[in-house]
Amino acid sequence: EVQLLESGGGLVQPGGSLRLSCAASGFTFTNYVMSWVRQAPGKGLQWVSAISGSGGTTYYADSVKGRFTISRDNSKNTLYMQMNSLRAEDTALYYCAKETVAEGGADSFDYWGQGTLVTVSS
Amino acid sequence: DIQMTQSPSTLSASVGDRVTITCRASQSISSWLAWYQQKPGKAPKLLIDKASSLQSGVPSRFSGSASGTEFTLTISSLQPDDFATYYCQQYSSYWTFGQGTKVEIK
């Protein structure tokens, strides 16, 4: 059974940093592109970042480029998101999501975690 | 960047109604479009990808279609479990979601 479990969210002041983690199980982690998707309170879904199975290629939304860094440790089946220079507008529930097809290029997301809440406020 | 325009933002319907949600891409995305269902407090659930391919376990009352850059999600006979918010997503170039359509009880 595929499971994605996010952690690391919390309350942080503007300008602060946070590292999110997503522990994956139930599939061959290294074969899949993984993404982070966020949802501000009461708002829609926004794709944030993605990383190839090997970790060698990363993708970012313009709104987080230069501030967030996605990475993965395939030996630990874990996805990360280092979030720096946080802003109030980064407040959201952050989901990790697995692509549907193994290394098939950009794809839909067939499994999602339950999310971890990041609140940026003074 | 590819923009996805989803309509309507809210839809009021009754059990048994036929419901249609539309998503328009700002440029060609071929059939690289997915539909998700999200219920309050839950993660999104993939319903359809490649514009019309129903995921395993999803009821057949859900269907997707495409015409050029316009995509449609249809629920043939709305059931109580279907009241939720629906999102389209393009994955032709990076990933972009539509704004969402909340299907509420009339």
Side-chain angles (χ1 to χ4, degrees), chain A residues 39 47 99 106-109 113, chain B residues 36 38 43 49 87 89 91 95:
Chain A
Q39 187 169 35
W47 171 78
E99 281 212 325
D107 202 351
S108 56
F109 303 146
Chain B
Y36 298 85
Q38 187 180 34
D49 69 0
Y87 295 93
Q89 177 206 37
Y91 50 97
W95 298 264

Side-chain angles (χ1 to χ4, degrees), chain A residues 24-84:
Chain A
S25 61
F27 63 102
T28 306
F29 184 66
T30 191
N31 286 356
Y32 290 84
V33 171
M34 297 293 295
S35 280
W36 288 98
V37 177
R38 69 185 180 184
Q39 187 169 35
K43 302 297 184 183
L45 302 169
Q46 181 190 23
W47 171 78
V48 174
S49 183
I51 186 168
S52 63
S54 67
T57 304
T58 56
Y59 312 85
Y60 297 95
D62 287 345
S63 57
V64 306
K65 202 173 294 183
R67 300 187 299 122
F68 289 11
T69 302
I70 191 172
S71 62
R72 63 194 296 162
D73 184 337
N74 287 342
S75 69
K76 295 182 178 178
N77 286 357
T78 303
L79 175 71
Y80 301 101
M81 176 68 81
Q82 178 66 42
M83 309 165 69
N84 298 331

